[in-house]
Amino acid sequence: MTVTANGPLPSGSYDVAVVGAGVVGCAIARELARHPGLRVALVEAQDDVGQGTSKANTAILHTGFDAAPGSIEARLVREGSRQLAAYAAESGIAVEPVGALLVAWDEEQLAALPQLAEKAVRNKYFDTRLIDPSELHEREPHLGPGALGALHVPGESVICPWTTTLAYATQAVRHGVDLHLNSPVSDVSWRGGAHTLTTARGPLRTRHLVNAAGLHADTLDRHLGHHDFTVTPRRGQLIVFDKFARDLLHHILLPVPTALGKGVLVAPTVYGNVLLGPTAEESDDKRATGSTAEGLSLLREKGARILPALLDEEVTAVYAGLRAATEQDDYRITAHPEQAYVTVGGIRSTGLTASMAIAAHVTELLADTGLDLGPARDLEPVRMPNLGDAHTRPHQNARLVAADPEYGTLVCHCERVSRGEIRDALASTVPPRNLDGLRRRTRARAGRCQGFYCGAAVRELMEGAGT
């Protein structure tokens, strides 16, 4: 098992290098790990997996009911949704099948609901149902006044995006993929049937290349002479409300979508919180992940109409993510056989859901570019810590605590994280390299006090582990 974060990169040549260790890049690396004859590298600019769009999204496991029919996104979301649901059950990734309500607030939106139901059928999702205001308010008693009806989509779920990305990376590394962190790619050259990546840690050579660089996929594409798309960062700000707000909500509450996206929603999280957001702000800055007073004010205005009582609840956190929007509303997945290269661009918020299907599709494209995959194998399953609030936490498992009292000693009381869980995360296959990475693996410091109470103790445990 190889995870590197400093020093020069290996001098030999890989069969495939995947640039970008977000949820899609990690899924591709995991899929390639099924072929033991391949030498595979996963190259990430930052110090952990899932540091970009993958860590800051609405964490919905989509059915794909409202994707553009016939698009590659529609097909891959449909396939990926089933695959990821099964994988989550096998791997211990938290999922809650809460269902969604697409709420109409005016006559124009109400008239659009039957069209969305028809669109769902064209996407081979057949379980939507129109409901009237009476049933809508019965299902969501705290919904604001004035809703005229809704489209019920029972198959929509919420999922843990952090654990999904980490599970893919863990499985990939355990099956021979080299994960190289802190390795931003500044240039790529293609000569003599091989790519040379110029990184901050020196050159890396590979015969085949996959560009899963997310917000920077267009930049990497241009290094190889392609000008097929431009990524325009679309900032989405979100507000996270305290766990006490969770009883206000039973479904994901979706607006009728617009050209800019699915709009502002209210959704539960698997961690027991409630999300309000996102905004949809076009930008030219691929690092603009800060929140703004204007954005948060807009969200509160929208939230006041959707779920008025929500605004009386405490805010636990605010955050913003950047989606990799391009000129067309579809994924930009393209094989370039003459360069042994596959671009995986324009993967927006549905990329989490579609990740496993994207990985299988990209692997097929690599084979079409001349990569000899060799024999395939089944991967040994991974079992990840389930971070879901509805799941039994380690400190609640008497048998586990009796066997190892460290699981009974809470460090983070807001999120009920034990010393044993922190110890396990620090010793894991892909360990955290800072406190934020530890938070994504355990939820320590993610609760209502945001680390005010437990911060020093968590830091001490991390420093004691030499991380």
Side-chain angles (χ1 to χ4, degrees):
M1 297 188 293
T2 302
V3 180
T4 73
N6 48 60
L9 295 175
S11 58
S13 181
Y14 287 94
D15 296 305
V16 188
V18 181
V19 176
V23 70
V24 171
C26 288
I28 294 168
R30 173 192 171 275
E31 183 67 21
L32 290 169
R34 295 180 62 245
H35 302 275
L38 297 178
R39 190 176 184 216
V40 180
L42 179 58
V43 182
E44 168 57 36
Q46 301 193 60
D47 66 354
D48 199 2
V49 300
Q51 282 274 56
T53 302
S54 300
K55 76 173 182 182
N57 53 51
T58 50
I60 295 175
L61 181 54
H62 296 279
T63 58
F65 79 97
D66 59 347
S71 65
I72 189 170
E73 180 180 18
R75 176 174 71 83
L76 295 179
V77 169
R78 182 170 62 247
E79 295 172 2
S81 179
R82 294 191 296 267
Q83 294 169 349
L84 182 50
Y87 182 75
E90 172 190 278
S91 305
I93 299 167
V95 174
E96 283 191 51
V98 292
L101 293 169
L102 198 72
V103 181
W105 296 94
D106 58 40
E107 293 293 342
E108 183 179 356
Q109 293 176 8
L110 186 66
L113 294 184
Q115 300 169 20
L116 287 164
E118 293 171 7
K119 190 177 189 181
V121 170
R122 291 167 64 194
N123 282 319
K124 301 183 181 179
Y125 183 78
F126 304 103
D127 295 336
T128 63
R129 185 171 65 89
L130 295 167
I131 63 174
D132 61 23
S134 175
E135 182 179 349
L136 173 57
H137 284 280
E138 183 179 333
R139 285 179 171 274
E140 292 290 351
H142 298 283
L143 192 70
L148 303 180
L151 183 69
H152 183 212
V153 189
E156 299 277 296
S157 303
V158 290
I159 188 170
C160 178
W162 306 334
T163 313
T164 303
T165 305
L166 186 62
Y168 293 158
T170 297
Q171 211 167 18
V173 169
R174 287 182 182 175
H175 289 84
V177 172
D178 291 347
L179 171 59
H180 299 304
L181 303 169
N182 294 326
S183 303
V185 176
S186 58
D187 197 8
V188 182
S189 62
W190 164 253
R191 294 188 188 89
H195 297 277
T196 299
L197 280 61
T198 302
T199 84
R201 295 174 53 199
L204 183 140
R205 295 172 181 83
T206 181
R207 292 194 300 114
H208 293 260
L209 179 63
V210 177
N211 172 5
L215 293 165
H216 302 280
D218 56 341
T219 303
L220 191 58
D221 223 32
R222 282 163 173 68
H223 285 313
L224 289 167
H226 304 288
H227 298 267
D228 299 336
F229 64 94
T230 297
V231 172
T232 301
R234 185 173 293 161
R235 181 167 60 182
Q237 300 185 51
L238 296 106
I239 301 175
V240 183
F241 287 88
D242 190 81
K243 294 174 188 288
F244 286 124
R246 181 63 182 83
D247 290 340
L248 297 175
L249 187 65
H250 302 294
H251 305 74
I252 303 164
L253 300 180
L254 299 171
V256 176
T258 69
L260 280 178
K262 298 180 186 299
V264 173
L265 57 82
V266 181
T269 75
V270 294
Y271 320 115
N273 304 99
V274 174
L275 282 183
L276 172 63
T279 57
E281 308 161 47
E282 301 286 357
S283 172
D284 58 3
D285 185 350
K286 296 181 179 182
R287 297 173 296 178
T289 57
S291 299
T292 66
E294 295 79 10
L296 299 180
S297 176
L298 171 66
L299 292 181
R300 292 183 67 86
E301 179 185 325
K302 298 282 188 181
R305 182 178 194 185
I306 301 167
L307 205 67
L310 184 61
L311 299 191
D312 295 329
E313 300 295 331
E314 294 291 333
V315 172
T316 297
V318 298
Y319 68 93
L322 297 175
R323 289 158 279 176
T326 67
E327 301 91 336
Q328 71 178 42
D329 291 335
D330 200 0
Y331 298 161
R332 311 300 289 265
I333 302 177
T334 308
H336 302 279
E338 73 285 356
Q339 293 177 310
Y341 169 59
V342 178
T343 302
V344 189
I347 309 299
R348 297 167 300 156
S349 57
T350 56
L352 171 61
T353 299
S355 54
M356 297 186 83
I358 292 172
H361 179 58
V362 169
T363 301
E364 291 174 0
L365 292 177
L366 283 169
D368 292 342
T369 68
L371 176 65
D372 182 4
L373 295 172
R377 60 179 169 179
D378 292 332
L379 300 178
E380 289 293 322
V382 293
R383 193 70 187 173
M384 307 300 292
N386 190 308
L387 302 184
D389 213 53
H391 182 76
T392 300
R393 301 303 300 278
H395 80 278
Q396 297 169 313
N397 185 329
R399 183 177 299 177
L400 183 63
V401 172
D404 187 344
E406 291 284 88
Y407 291 114
T409 304
L410 292 185
V411 177
C412 172
H413 287 261
C414 294
E415 296 297 316
R416 299 172 295 159
V417 182
S418 66
R419 286 177 62 97
E421 292 168 88
I422 293 174
R423 176 202 62 201
D424 293 349
L426 293 172
S428 62
T429 301
V430 185
R433 299 186 178 276
N434 55 42
L435 291 171
D436 284 342
L438 183 61
R439 174 175 53 82
R440 290 191 293 274
R441 287 160 174 79
T442 64
R443 286 171 44 187
R445 300 169 54 254
R448 58 176 59 98
C449 86
Q450 290 291 288
F452 179 82
Y453 176 80
C454 68
V458 172
R459 180 182 294 276
E460 183 179 355
L461 289 172
M462 191 160 191
E463 291 175 349
T467 302

